[in-house]
Amino acid sequence: MRKQKINLPVKLLILGLVIFTVLFFIISYLAATLKSLDYFKIKEVVFNKSEGNFDFSYLIGRNIFNLDLRKESRYISELYPDYKKISLVRLLPDRLCIVFTQRLPLAYVKLYRYFYVDNEMVLFDIANGQAPGELPLIAGLEKKISGVKPGKRYNIKELAIALNIIRAARANILLKNYKIKRIDVADPANTTCFMVYPVGPTGNTQAHTVALPQVLEVRIGQNGVNARMCVLADLLNQLKKESGNIKYIDLRFKEPVIKFKDVQ
């Protein structure tokens, strides 16, 4: 029988596949050999935090290429749940950088002890264990949240209402002088906010005017928080001169109710 001739393009294709296969195994072998060298073993772990008790000694000596960065990131995030995100970056040939992204507290919550809460409704530890008075306090969640796991998101309606109030107040320029001191969400329908604001001048100490803080009670409820906070801002803007005489403002009804203090 007459032999079939293999045409030139097919020969070239077969030759190319053979060469590619050989090169692939050679390069893979060289890469594996290089990665196994001590030159690529982690000798130092650096991070972007100047404070904190971090121990990453378990990473020293491991091959920088064989390290699963995502897996290690998840593991370290579990060790340090107070941080929003933890990323790992290779610094060739032998250093590893760990980048911590801090959680920003929006308020603190009173439970069996105090916890920070951020914009994503994640509870996390307060460093010194003391309640930070400069942030709003959210109260009334003792029966809603128990056995807190720091770093976990708590999708609780009452917590969401309180955070919405804080965000709405911060976003409204007319409320910039009114600082939220406490929000009570024990009964969502009667959610109440206590705001501190300066009323002055009320006195004079060594020629310096003193403005004494006042507390305003605002009954907001649980529905239409953003709209009600806008109504509050407009009311307070209109009643600037009388703000010191207001006992409480109730926004839970169609028309806001203003109760003034009894004037002696």
Side-chain angles (χ1 to χ4, degrees), residues 188-251:
N190 295 308
T191 296
T192 302
C193 173
F194 297 89
M195 309 179 79
V196 177
Y197 62 100
V199 175
T202 59
N204 193 286
T205 303
Q206 297 180 351
H208 293 287
T209 300
V210 178
L212 298 179
Q214 302 288 324
V215 177
L216 174 64
E217 177 183 339
V218 183
R219 300 171 186 177
I220 301 173
Q222 61 182 322
N223 300 317
V225 168
N226 290 335
R228 290 179 181 181
M229 293 301 287
C230 288
V231 171
L232 174 65
D234 290 337
L235 285 174
L236 294 176
N237 187 49
Q238 295 172 26
L239 299 170
K240 282 182 180 179
K241 295 181 180 179
E242 300 179 76
S243 58
N245 295 323
I246 299 175
K247 184 176 181 180
Y248 69 79
I249 297 176
D250 197 334
L251 303 172

Side-chain angles (χ1 to χ4, degrees), residues 164-177:
N164 284 339
I165 291 173
I166 295 170
R167 285 190 287 258
R170 288 187 176 184
N172 197 308
I173 192 171
L174 296 178
L175 296 175
K176 65 179 181 179
N177 293 325

